[in-house]
């Protein structure tokens, strides 16, 4: 009797388990797994221009306006807006029912404080402040902007897609000092950051925000609805490219945000993988202009003379169809602002001439501390090319290898290279961060700025201001040319070449056509 009872119990237990399997499968959250281009360390997109922090910002926050796929600003958190005939008075009304992820209401006071924090750091924000921009909440859903003179890029500023995007924070967080990253994450965007599952150096997890209030329009660029098709998104940090590509081939991950150049050609032949363009990028050599030797513009000019864009692009490994041999403009070749003004002396790299220019500049053999990223292959190659170029013209290079997150933290230090700071690091910028005198933050040479490298050139800054204010197209073009010609004299950074980035995805992933110029709009994807 006892034996039959035990057998019956076992059978019932097995039946119960079997019956529960379908239910368990049904409760598994729909998950998108992404190999992120870098490790996430800084959770505040208003503190750093690092793209990984910018991408994080778009996952958890929203903005008043956003650019659509044509680059046109569209209302996002804003329901309606008005402006006076003279362009000096603006009013913006928030959409009803907007909430932060904790369920609290988004108010105009939150937006005002957020924009004030943003304006203290961003080039467009500072430009608006320079013409007397004042923000004020007039009621719970309405905020007003008053200007001393018209500013033709108000909507462009509020829809600024990159660099420092003007994300909306709770007022209590936005009022915290901008000199340090925010300690808390609370947004009204499509996802919630799962801090309890965050493992720096390994994984970042987001879950769909139940309090997100989407727009009725479909997703379009960064505009429209951001209601996610996925309940959960995981960013995986896999610095070993072989591991990342193998995981994609096996279907363990769905998407590689930035595919290392060496893998582009092999994966193009794999029918299970789709390779797409992540937009136009420019490679940057960023120099610390507070300390020797790069505090001297003639030393910067000497290095510029020694840089071969063709060699940099080849050294970074991009296929011929994804790189340019030479691009003369600071503003992305192929963009409306392309110009060759001032570029002629530097069009052809000349090491012998660069050596003479360096000697004539009075270089005294000061050590150049170059931060070399170990975990981002194309940046590692760019840094090694920078080291090789600097050595070839006679600079004393001290290459120090570290991960990209450490570079992101160290580049904020104003110290000299031999005092724990740095003299150079390399980076890249997408077209939205390089295609105009105001979008290109590294050309922001206003003295006293907060940008790593701290370029300071009053004539360049004055030309940018004049370009911003000019409304006559022909005169604006003249000012654009004058601005770039001055940039080639001041050399706030060095353009090391232009290329097209690549992403890799499982062919079964839907919505890849909605990815926009390198901006990872993961909410638009599905599978």
């Amino acid at each position: 009797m006892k034996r039959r009872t035990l057998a019956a119990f076992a059978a019932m237990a097995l039946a119960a388990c079997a019956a529960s399997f379908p239910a368990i499968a049904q409760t598994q959250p729909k998950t998108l797994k992404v190999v992120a281009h870098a490790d996430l360390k800084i959770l505040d997109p208003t503190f750093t221009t690092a793209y990984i922090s910018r991408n994080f910002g778009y996952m958890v926050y929203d903005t008043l306006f956003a650019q659509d796929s044509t680059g046109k600003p569209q209302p996002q958190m804003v329901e309606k807006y008005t402006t006076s005939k003279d362009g000096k008075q603006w009013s913006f009304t928030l959409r009803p029912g907007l909430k932060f992820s904790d369920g609290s209401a988004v108010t105009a006071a939150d937006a005002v404080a957020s924009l004030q924090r943003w304006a203290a750091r961003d080039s467009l924000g500072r430009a608006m402040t320079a013409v007397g921009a004042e923000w004020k909440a007039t009621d719970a859903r309405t905020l007003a902007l008053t200007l001393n003179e018209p500013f033709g890029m108000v909507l462009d500023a509020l829809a600024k897609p990159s660099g420092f995007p003007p994300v909306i924070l709770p007022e209590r967080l936005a009022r915290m000092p901008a000199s340090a990253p925010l300690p808390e994450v609370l947004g009204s965007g499509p996802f919630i950051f799962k801090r309890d599952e965050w493992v720096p150096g390994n994984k970042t997890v987001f879950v769909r925000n139940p309090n997100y209030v989407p727009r009725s329009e479909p997703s379009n660029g960064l505009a429209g609805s951001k209601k996610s098709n996925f309940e959960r998104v995981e960013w995986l940090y896999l610095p070993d490219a072989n591991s990342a590509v193998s995981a994609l081939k096996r279907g363990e991950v769905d998407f590689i945000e930035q595919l290392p150049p060496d893998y582009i050609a092999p994966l193009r032949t794999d029918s299970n993988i789709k390779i797409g363009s992540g937009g136009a990028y420019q490679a940057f050599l960023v120099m610390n202009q507070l300390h020797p030797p790069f505090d001297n513009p003639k030393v910067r000019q000497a290095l510029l003379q020694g840089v071969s864009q063709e060699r940099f692009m080849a050294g970074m490994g991009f296929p011929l169809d994804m790189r340019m041999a030479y691009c003369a403009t600071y503003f992305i070749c192929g963009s409306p602002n392309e110009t060759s003004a001032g570029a002629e002396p530097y069009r052809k790299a000349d090491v012998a001439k660069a050596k003479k220019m360096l000697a004539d500049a009075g270089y005294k053999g000061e050590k150049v501390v170059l931060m070399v990223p170990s975990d981002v292959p194309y940046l590692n190659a760019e840094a090694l090319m920078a080291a090789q170029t600097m050595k070839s013209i006679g600079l004393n290079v001290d290459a120090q290898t570290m991960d990209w997150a450490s570079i992101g933290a160290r580049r904020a230090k104003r110290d000299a290279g031999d005092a724990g700071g740095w003299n150079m690091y390399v980076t890249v910028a997408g077209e939205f961060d390089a295609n105009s005198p105001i979008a290109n933050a590294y050309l922001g040479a206003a003295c006293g700025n907060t940008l790593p490298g701290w370029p300071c050139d009053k004539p360049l800054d004055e030309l940018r201001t004049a370009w911003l204010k000019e409304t006559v197209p022909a005169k604006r073009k003249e000012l654009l040319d004058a601005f770039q010609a001055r940039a080639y004299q001041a050399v706030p950074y060095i353009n090391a070449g232009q290329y097209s980035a690549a992403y890799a995805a499982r062919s079964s992933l839907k919505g890849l056509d909605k990815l926009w110029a390198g901006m990872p709009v993961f909410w638009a994807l599905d599978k």
Side-chain angles (χ1 to χ4, degrees), residues 189-485:
F191 295 98
I192 297 174
F193 168 55
K194 290 282 289 176
R195 187 182 287 269
D196 60 328
E197 295 189 56
W198 181 36
V199 184
N202 185 2
K203 183 168 69 173
T204 304
V205 176
F206 306 87
V207 294
R208 193 159 55 196
N209 178 7
N211 289 311
Y212 171 63
V213 181
R215 292 194 67 88
S216 59
E217 303 90 341
S219 177
N220 182 359
L222 291 174
S225 173
K226 297 179 182 177
K227 186 175 181 180
S228 174
N229 294 305
F230 294 96
E231 298 169 80
R232 181 180 172 94
V233 176
E234 296 180 2
W235 289 2
L236 307 176
Y237 178 57
L238 297 174
D240 178 70
N242 283 322
S243 298
V245 170
S246 295
L248 182 70
K249 286 185 170 184
R250 292 193 298 266
E252 296 169 358
V253 300
D254 304 297
F255 189 90
I256 296 178
E257 184 187 352
Q258 291 187 7
L259 183 66
D262 291 347
Y263 292 86
I264 294 173
L267 288 183
R268 279 174 167 170
T269 62
D270 190 328
S271 61
N272 294 314
I273 306 297
K274 179 176 176 56
I275 306 297
S277 173
Y281 278 75
Q282 190 181 107
F284 285 24
L285 308 186
V286 181
M287 299 157 287
N288 186 336
Q289 297 172 43
L290 297 179
H291 304 285
F294 295 128
D295 60 336
N296 183 346
K298 292 188 178 301
V299 172
R300 303 196 295 270
Q301 291 170 6
L303 178 56
L304 175 59
Q305 186 66 71
V307 167
S308 166
Q309 291 188 12
E310 185 172 11
R311 289 188 63 212
F312 264 82
M313 292 298 97
M316 291 171 71
F318 291 99
L320 286 171
D321 64 334
M322 298 187 73
R323 71 180 196 242
M324 297 188 67
Y326 179 74
C327 178
T329 188
Y330 271 104
F331 307 123
I332 298 293
C333 282
S335 79
N337 289 324
E338 180 179 353
T339 172
S340 61
E344 189 57 40
Y346 304 101
R347 186 175 293 274
K348 183 175 176 59
D350 189 328
V351 172
K353 184 178 178 180
K355 286 181 177 180
K356 184 178 185 306
M357 291 172 67
L358 187 63
D360 291 346
Y363 175 60
K364 298 180 177 61
E366 296 97 340
K367 186 179 292 185
V368 175
V369 173
L370 169 67
M371 297 190 289
V372 179
S374 60
D375 55 342
V376 185
Y378 62 91
L379 290 181
N380 177 267
E382 184 184 359
L384 295 179
M385 287 299 303
Q388 184 182 99
T389 301
M390 287 192 289
K391 289 176 181 178
S392 74
I393 71 169
L395 287 165
N396 178 16
V397 179
D398 177 14
Q400 299 183 11
T401 301
M402 61 199 78
D403 62 32
W404 180 245
S406 298
I407 291 176
R410 188 168 170 180
R411 70 180 183 175
K413 294 183 178 180
R414 293 174 176 262
D415 304 312
D418 58 4
W422 57 280
N423 296 103
M424 179 185 283
Y425 75 93
V426 303
T427 188
V428 299
E431 55 191 274
F432 295 116
D433 289 319
N435 62 10
S436 79
I438 193 66
N440 194 323
Y442 282 87
L443 292 178
C447 298
N449 66 73
T450 60
L451 191 73
W454 305 282
C456 171
D457 188 76
K458 187 176 179 181
L460 189 63
D461 188 47
E462 289 174 344
L463 282 166
R464 184 170 70 162
T465 300
W467 177 84
L468 269 172
K469 293 181 177 180
E470 184 56 63
T471 57
V472 178
K475 292 182 178 179
R476 210 159 195 250
K477 177 63 169 66
E478 290 177 5
L479 286 167
L480 181 81
D481 290 346
F483 178 88
Q484 175 162 294

